[in-house]
Amino acid sequence: MAAAGSAEGAGDSPVPWAEVRALLPRAEEELSLALSGEVEDCVLLLLRRARALLYGAAGRPEAAAAAALERLSDVLRDYSWEKLNAGPWREVGKGWRQVYAYGCLFGALAEVAAGRPLARAVRLCDLGLLMGAAVLDNVLARLVRALQPHLPRAAPRARPRAEVAPANTPPGPAAEGNLPLQRVRLLPPPAVQPEQVIPHLHCPSLEHFRDSYLIPQRPVVLEGVIDHWPCMKKWSVDYFCQVAGCRTVPVELGARYTDEEWSQQLMTVSDFVSQYIMAENNVGYLAQHQLFDQIPELKEDISIPDYCCLGEGEEDDITINAWFGPGGTISPLHQDPQQNFLAQIFGRKYIRLYSPQDSENLYPHESQILHNTSQVDVENPDLVKFPNFTKAAFQSCILMPGQILFIPVKYWHYVRSLELSFSVSFWWS
């Protein structure tokens, strides 16, 4: 039985069970199942039964126990999955997210104990990190970090099959089925007129940035601020496949999120690269706010800009987002409720900004879900339908690698990738 020594699958290197077991508390009673919220007693009973199977004799589940643990993990995930999708994500109780995380944990451990290939165990860890809540000192992140070195490097496939993501997967819905093909038209950026240029500054002092841009809420492009970040030399498509090729992430499909055919699906980074980076006639975007918590190796290559210390919140309150995709992807004109530093790592983006004072001329959607998004196609506006759009003054820039754009809170911004691009944004208050 693999659990007695190592877990090994086709192409995987052996994973000593002791290495995995060392991530868990030594005794069964030390593995706390305390939940931040109420769940049914029957669910607590299932959690305790799974814990007992995990520890078993000398903490090594035998074949029958590993199979029973796998079945219990399926039940826990299926039941909590329904709870995660019962209403808006913000209303999902943390206790149910923890149950889902435990289900993913027990399932991943069952896979390792059964000696199967490790890809499914890693995927279960990622699902728990994406949809669950941290349990046992973020054991899922520690487990996937222990498993990943034993996986062969994920080679991009020509035509991946995407997995279904729940409707509540942040930041958007998902659909089942093969990935849609869409032709990308790479258009040159509009000419940036002198009166529209966003000002540029090289490493301004904290005081100068605060007094001249933060307090008066004026956009500015900062230069020389991120030159020392390791990502500026390390990050490339090949590097992402090496570090995170086997990791499951949510990917947005479609040129822009306001398109009817837009959807979101779960796939590995390697599959995303093969389908949307290597195949240049498809539009897909890796855009998510959990990537750096999910894959700490990437977070180590960036830093929070010093200017964020001028905000009122704590560092832990800063949301870090990843934006990775081919040229032709578009973020429609929209506004965000926080200050934003958009750091460009590689590739170029055309960006246009409008003041909140021009909101009425930008025709926001009337629906609550898109109230922060304009109905106007910025580069091809329907002036018969939206005649006042011409009254709105704007600033624009081509954001280059190594530059950071400060987008004040509630400022409307439109973004188009001109080529393969990776950006990191920091939302702060």
Side-chain angles (χ1 to χ4, degrees), residues 347-367:
R348 299 173 303 145
K349 286 184 170 177
Y350 171 71
I351 302 177
R352 191 182 289 190
L353 302 181
Y354 291 83
S355 168
Q357 297 176 356
D358 270 315
S359 293
E360 289 187 3
N361 296 324
L362 302 180
Y363 300 90
H365 283 270
E366 295 180 0
S367 66

Side-chain angles (χ1 to χ4, degrees), residues 83 95 118 158 215-216 225 235 324 337 370 374 386-387 392:
K83 298 293 185 179
L118 298 176
I215 293 176
V225 175
W235 284 10
F324 177 37
L370 288 176
S374 170
F386 309 114

Side-chain angles (χ1 to χ4, degrees), residues 29 69 74 80 96 104 111 136 144 149 171 185 187 249 287 305 309 314 332 353 359 376-377 380 397 405 411 422:
E29 58 272 14
L69 182 63
D74 289 343
S80 55
W96 285 112
C104 292
E111 291 289 319
L136 303 176
V144 74
R185 295 181 61 209
L187 302 175
V249 294
C309 75
E314 301 294 330
L353 302 181
S359 293
V376 183
D377 183 346
N380 187 29
C397 71
L405 172 62
Y411 245 78
F422 200 115

Side-chain angles (χ1 to χ4, degrees), residues 62 130 135 146-147 260 290 345 390:
E62 298 297 330
L130 287 168
V135 295
L147 296 179
E260 289 186 4
Q290 295 170 293
I345 310 305
T390 57

Side-chain angles (χ1 to χ4, degrees), residues 329-405:
T329 50
I330 290 172
S331 290
L333 187 63
H334 68 285
Q335 57 181 185
D336 296 317
Q338 291 182 289
Q339 318 280 7
N340 184 1
F341 281 126
L342 181 62
Q344 193 64 17
I345 310 305
F346 59 75
R348 299 173 303 145
K349 286 184 170 177
Y350 171 71
I351 302 177
R352 191 182 289 190
L353 302 181
Y354 291 83
S355 168
Q357 297 176 356
D358 270 315
S359 293
E360 289 187 3
N361 296 324
L362 302 180
Y363 300 90
H365 283 270
E366 295 180 0
S367 66
Q368 180 61 29
I369 194 171
L370 288 176
H371 71 280
N372 70 329
T373 302
S374 170
Q375 301 178 62
V376 183
D377 183 346
V378 166
E379 295 191 72
N380 187 29
D382 183 344
L383 297 181
V384 174
K385 189 175 182 180
F386 309 114
N388 291 337
F389 182 67
T390 57
K391 298 179 181 179
F394 65 86
Q395 296 174 279
S396 60
C397 71
I398 307 295
L399 196 64
M400 306 293 289
Q403 296 179 340
I404 289 183
L405 172 62

Side-chain angles (χ1 to χ4, degrees), residues 199-205 208 220-227 307 402:
H200 288 55
L201 279 180
H202 183 83
C203 294
S205 67
H208 182 54
V220 63
V221 174
L222 304 179
E223 299 179 339
V225 175
I226 66 173
D227 293 347
Y307 304 99

